[in-house]
Amino acid sequence: MLLKIALLLSMLIQLGAAITAVSLIRRTRFNVSWILISAGFVLMALRRLFEFSTLFWETQLVSKVEVESWIGVMISILMLAGVIFIRQIFNLQDRIELLRKENESRLLKAVIQGEEQARQSIARDLHDGLGPVLSSIKMTVSAIDTDEMDHSNQKMVELTCKATDEAIVALKEISNHLSPHLLKNYGLTKALEAIARQMLANSSIDFKLSGNIDSKRFHYDIETGLFRVICELLNNSLKHARPQTISVDISEEGEHLKMAYSDDGAGFQMKDEPNSLRGKGMGFENIRSRIKSMNGFYYLESEPGKGMSINIQIPLK
């Protein structure tokens, strides 16, 4: 009696599973793999029904063992075919995901390249347009004969010349920051040394730059991307960390360019998942986007009072 109840429950469960599977065929848009698996569920339910019926009467047309064997063979064939088709679906999903990542990377690169081109255009316009005007103003003011002026007017001319000089210097700094000519002409090391001197000029921070690349050149997108990342990190350290020392090491190892940046400043609590740059302001989001655009990856560590370090690895090919 207990066996009959167990077989009845098993039959009802498998029948329900078969009905559910068949009802989902339309929602899968008649996917071949789901049709095959649904057919397998139906055959499993029929086999269980056949087993249950033999408890009450013995069929004389065919052998119970023969029927169950053939049904088992058909179930195995259907399940194998369904699994093969499912594997093809997974392979297709992997290809789609790969294409999505490639397209996302291309789009990100295009956005960053457009941003760099805009920076270069603005820097060129400032240098070629405003630079000559300021130089002309300085020449004109310098040509004024101050001997025929009283002390007050002489002072005004001196202040005007000084302000013009400061404006020219500021214009050069802005132009160089937008599109660093040292990076284009002399490479990453020289450009970083120059930008560090400029950014840390009014601070007592000890900046240490090391590595094995010296004056070696890399693809312009890699040099520009890494330069922008380090500038953003320097800016964050200056604004928020108040460190005593900042260290940057850039090394070429095999087919990768590795950069290690660290400061001994205030650090921060990593509230999100470890190694996350999300949710920490636009600066960190820019860093993450640029690393991603270079197909690189990073590892970030920071604790309150223990500074911050980030290691970045970028493929050269």
Side-chain angles (χ1 to χ4, degrees), residues 2-184:
L2 184 61
L3 178 60
K4 290 181 180 180
I5 294 174
L7 284 173
L8 177 61
L9 291 174
S10 176
M11 180 190 68
L12 293 175
I13 291 171
Q14 289 195 352
L15 185 62
I19 293 173
T20 303
V22 171
S23 66
L24 292 174
I25 290 178
R26 179 175 294 182
R27 294 186 63 181
T28 63
R29 298 182 180 180
F30 300 95
N31 185 274
V32 175
S33 61
W34 191 257
I35 292 174
L36 292 171
I37 290 176
S38 299
F41 277 117
V42 171
L43 287 178
M44 290 168 66
L46 289 175
R47 183 170 68 175
R48 190 62 65 205
L49 179 62
F50 179 78
E51 290 177 359
F52 182 73
S53 66
T54 57
L55 295 177
F56 298 95
W57 65 85
E58 289 290 339
T59 179
Q60 301 298 323
L61 298 176
V62 290
S63 167
K64 174 184 174 181
V65 175
E66 184 178 355
V67 171
E68 289 187 349
S69 298
W70 279 109
I71 292 178
V73 170
M74 291 300 298
I75 290 173
S76 300
I77 293 173
L78 290 171
M79 288 298 181
L80 176 62
V83 168
I84 291 174
F85 277 103
I86 288 176
R87 186 177 65 178
Q88 292 178 351
I89 292 173
F90 287 153
N91 291 338
L92 178 61
Q93 287 180 335
D94 290 341
R95 290 197 295 270
I96 292 173
E97 180 66 15
L98 180 61
L99 288 173
R100 185 191 67 79
K101 289 181 178 179
E102 289 178 351
N103 289 333
E104 183 179 331
S105 178
R106 291 194 190 100
L107 178 60
L108 195 56
K109 286 181 180 179
V111 170
I112 290 177
Q113 287 174 354
E115 178 186 331
E116 288 299 328
Q117 290 174 359
R119 285 172 178 265
Q120 292 174 8
S121 178
I122 294 172
R124 186 168 52 250
D125 290 344
L126 285 173
H127 184 271
D128 296 343
L130 191 57
V133 174
L134 290 174
S135 298
S136 177
I137 292 172
K138 182 184 178 183
M139 290 177 62
T140 302
V141 174
S142 299
I144 297 175
D145 187 2
T146 57
D147 294 336
E148 298 181 0
M149 296 181 179
D150 56 27
H151 179 72
S152 176
N153 287 330
Q154 289 179 356
K155 190 67 175 177
M156 291 297 296
V157 171
E158 290 176 2
L159 290 174
T160 303
C161 287
K162 184 178 179 181
T164 306
D165 288 336
E166 291 176 353
I168 292 173
V169 172
L171 176 63
K172 289 181 179 179
E173 290 178 351
I174 293 171
S175 178
N176 186 56
H177 187 71
L178 287 171
S179 181
H181 66 278
L182 283 175
L183 179 64
K184 185 175 181 180

Side-chain angles (χ1 to χ4, degrees), residues 174-225:
I174 293 171
S175 178
N176 186 56
H177 187 71
L178 287 171
S179 181
H181 66 278
L182 283 175
L183 179 64
K184 185 175 181 180
N185 296 331
Y186 300 104
L188 192 56
T189 302
K190 294 292 184 183
L192 288 175
E193 290 173 347
I195 199 69
R197 282 196 301 269
Q198 178 183 325
M199 295 180 70
L200 306 177
N202 298 321
S203 71
S204 59
I205 297 174
D206 181 22
F207 179 75
K208 299 178 180 179
L209 179 63
S210 59
N212 64 2
I213 63 171
D214 297 325
S215 58
K216 187 172 182 179
R217 303 305 305 270
F218 302 95
H219 192 280
Y220 182 70
D221 288 344
I222 292 177
E223 290 187 344
T224 304

